[in-house]
Amino acid sequence: MKISNNIINCKSCVYRNLLYEMLSDEEYGLVNSSRREMIFKRNELIIQEGDEISEFMYLRKGLVKLYKTNSKGKDQILSINRPGDFINLLSIFSNKTQQYSVSVLEETHVCAVKIDTIFDLVKLNSEFSIRVMNRMSYIADEIIHKRFEINQRQVKGRVAYMLRFLAEQIYNKNEFRMPITRRELGELISMTTENTIRTMSEFRKDGIIEMEGKNVNIVDFDRLKKVCEMG
Amino acid sequence: MKISNNIINCKSCVYRNLLYEMLSDEEYGLVNSSRREMIFKRNELIIQEGDEISEFMYLRKGLVKLYKTNSKGKDQILSINRPGDFINLLSIFSNKTQQYSVSVLEETHVCAVKIDTIFDLVKLNSEFSIRVMNRMSYIADEIIHKRFEINQRQVKGRVAYMLRFLAEQIYNKNEFRMPITRRELGELISMTTENTIRTMSEFRKDGIIEMEGKNVNIVDFDRLKKVCEMG
DNA sequence: TTTTAGGTATGACATATTTCATAAAATAAG
DNA sequence: CTTATTTTATGAAATATGTCATACCTAAAA
């Protein structure tokens, strides 16, 4: 990780609308003065489960995974997050430590605002409070809903679901470079690496996708959808 | 459902400490004046996914399940909730409809406060806001953590985990009457009813539990724990 | 450049889980 | 109280998934 010294002006930030729009100039100044920006490279750890929470963090750029590690050292990925997502909002008001780990899939720029500032803003501006609650609600629903969808499918349906997610939500096109390994894909859908690889191969043999290393091209989206809906 | 006319005084309510402790007498008065109390019997539906959210609801007494229904009509239970749990707090600030259904396992008394009142309180009292966020955090973590635990186990481990949950968190004793059917237990751990039943029978044959209809007695808790930890 | 570690790939076999069938027991409905 | 429906129960067969072994490829490290 390195601290960025090329800090982009907040006025032009996407979060101005997403979270900070109701703040007065003075309140917005509080955010800026307690804010720092960091750059993380692939595989770096941004947040470790169990750490003290001292900053509220969100992505300005990049892609990360949010996950938990079990007692046997196995990871379970809860979500893939990108700019516009608040990576630790769900834990900030918990009076606990970080509940999830976050690590980097694609080079990521993180904005970090001191948590005390966030508490101050909540005290100063009730519109901001409500927006924070709104975002918490959204984040929780995203994670819970994704698990709900995954749990009712079996391997093929799960892989299809995640490929759709990547194509539709993350990259907005049918051809993309997988941001995660097959093992990580397995950790996302609670399946073994081998089965995940096998299923991808099967989709290739069936003519649903084309693959070359990490590059994936969904050539028969309708069939992918069907597999996704069948379970 | 029937409206209760024997409304218990809020001053003596467990929620006074859990959620409302920082409210002034005047603010607390707002809660009371927009509050109603309802009684639901087993299997009644308290909240239907998709309903408009007009009230903030929580249990004074009883036991409920919170669940989602998939496109094929199958339910997936996300949590079992009892007094002290806020059954729709996670959805109130979402600007959406109810995200989960809630139905009754054991006769339940529900307090319902108009959602406008909750918004007013958030605006009036920032300590209250922070407490609300704290509770949202807690609720989301509970659901997410439970799925995390369930997903890393196979049938035996899952059933063991839920039996421990019932014994340790819900009833505080090793002998209890199952508040859910085997099918519901299956919906809670994402397994078929048959497998769930089979696993319970196996635990009985192995001398881990005694069973008679819905009555369960965990006679070898150590072994149940071991099964739970093995996965 | 060579070495090393991790990622992708696939087969064969073991195990876990679902599905389908059937039946007794318990509970709800008339 | 009788009848219908749901719940619990179990077996056998089909299917899905995990495990172990092995190989090759790729990217990072020495």
Side-chain angles (χ1 to χ4, degrees), chain A residues 47-56 68 87-100 115 118-119 122 132 136, chain B residues 18 90 129-142 144:
Chain A
I47 291 171
Q48 164 98 282
E49 194 182 340
D51 283 354
E52 291 300 323
I53 304 174
S54 58
E55 290 170 307
F56 166 52
K68 276 176 91 77
I87 54 185
N88 65 348
L89 186 58
L90 218 44
S91 301
I92 283 179
F93 301 97
S94 67
N95 298 332
K96 290 194 261 184
T97 54
Q98 301 281 7
Q99 296 299 297
Y100 313 102
I115 197 177
I118 301 301
F119 275 84
V122 165
V132 165
M136 288 179 74
Chain B
L18 200 55
L90 218 43
S129 294
I130 287 173
R131 180 59 62 94
V132 166
M133 293 174 195
N134 175 266
R135 290 295 91 194
M136 288 179 74
S137 201
Y138 180 83
I139 295 165
D141 270 358
E142 282 276 293
I144 294 169

Side-chain angles (χ1 to χ4, degrees), chain B:
Chain B
M1 184 270 284
K2 73 170 193 192
I3 307 287
S4 170
N5 41 21
N6 178 26
I7 296 189
I8 302 159
N9 191 299
C10 287
K11 299 267 178 193
S12 64
C13 174
V14 60
Y15 290 96
R16 179 77 217 223
N17 296 323
L18 200 55
L19 185 69
Y20 299 134
E21 67 180 340
M22 71 297 288
L23 297 186
S24 67
D25 284 350
E26 194 187 352
E27 288 163 345
Y28 203 47
L30 285 176
V31 173
N32 279 311
S33 62
S34 83
R35 189 173 76 88
R36 63 181 182 135
E37 206 168 323
M38 291 171 281
I39 300 175
F40 292 86
K41 294 210 189 105
R42 162 131 183 113
N43 288 327
E44 278 191 289
L45 197 60
I46 301 177
I47 291 171
Q48 164 98 284
E49 194 182 341
D51 282 355
E52 291 299 323
I53 304 174
S54 59
E55 289 171 308
F56 166 53
M57 291 179 156
Y58 47 94
L59 306 197
R60 179 187 288 300
K61 178 174 174 297
L63 202 68
V64 301
K65 64 175 178 181
L66 188 147
Y67 64 99
K68 275 175 91 76
T69 306
N70 74 15
S71 54
K72 286 150 206 150
K74 280 207 170 184
D75 291 345
Q76 201 173 117
I77 300 178
L78 300 173
S79 69
I80 302 285
N81 294 99
R82 67 210 141 115
D85 293 335
F86 302 94
I87 54 183
N88 65 348
L89 185 58
L90 218 43
S91 301
I92 283 180
F93 301 97
S94 68
N95 298 331
K96 291 194 261 186
T97 54
Q98 301 281 7
Q99 296 298 297
Y100 312 102
S101 297
V102 178
S103 78
V104 177
L105 299 173
E106 288 172 5
E107 183 176 282
T108 290
H109 295 215
V110 170
C111 268
V113 177
K114 287 207 181 64
I115 197 176
D116 294 342
T117 307
I118 301 300
F119 275 85
D120 288 344
L121 289 175
V122 166
K123 283 172 194 147
L124 285 167
N125 189 324
S126 65
E127 295 280 320
F128 177 75
S129 294
I130 287 173
R131 180 59 62 94
V132 166
M133 293 174 195
N134 175 266
R135 290 295 91 194
M136 288 179 74
S137 201
Y138 180 83
I139 295 165
D141 270 358
E142 282 276 293
I143 295 175
I144 294 169
H145 187 257
K146 216 148 264 155
R147 289 309 326 175
F148 168 74
E149 292 292 340
I150 290 297
N151 280 327
Q152 54 185 279
R153 291 173 166 81
Q154 42 198 51
V155 202
K156 280 174 214 161
R158 292 181 183 190
V159 173
Y161 181 80
M162 285 312 310
L163 288 177
R164 274 189 75 173
F165 166 74
L166 290 170
E168 294 176 343
Q169 319 275 79
I170 301 289
Y171 294 109
N172 268 305
K173 49 184 169 178
N174 292 347
E175 196 166 6
F176 53 87
R177 187 171 173 76
M178 291 278 286
I180 51 177
T181 65
R182 305 291 191 269
R183 179 167 55 78
E184 287 170 320
L185 180 53
E187 288 167 357
L188 200 45
I189 61 180
S190 298
M191 287 290 142
T192 57
T193 308
E194 292 96 320
N195 252 324
T196 308
I197 290 172
R198 243 187 281 271
T199 305
M200 292 285 286
S201 298
E202 201 175 329
F203 285 173
R204 177 166 43 78
K205 282 171 201 153
D206 290 351
I208 297 174
I209 62 173
E210 283 170 358
M211 269 199 292
E212 205 186 310
K214 288 230 184 304
N215 297 308
V216 170
N217 186 9
I218 303 173
V219 288
D220 193 343
F221 210 94
D222 285 343
R223 207 125 65 82
L224 188 77
K225 261 189 190 165
K226 211 183 276 175
V227 174
C228 184
E229 278 149 21
M230 305 258 81

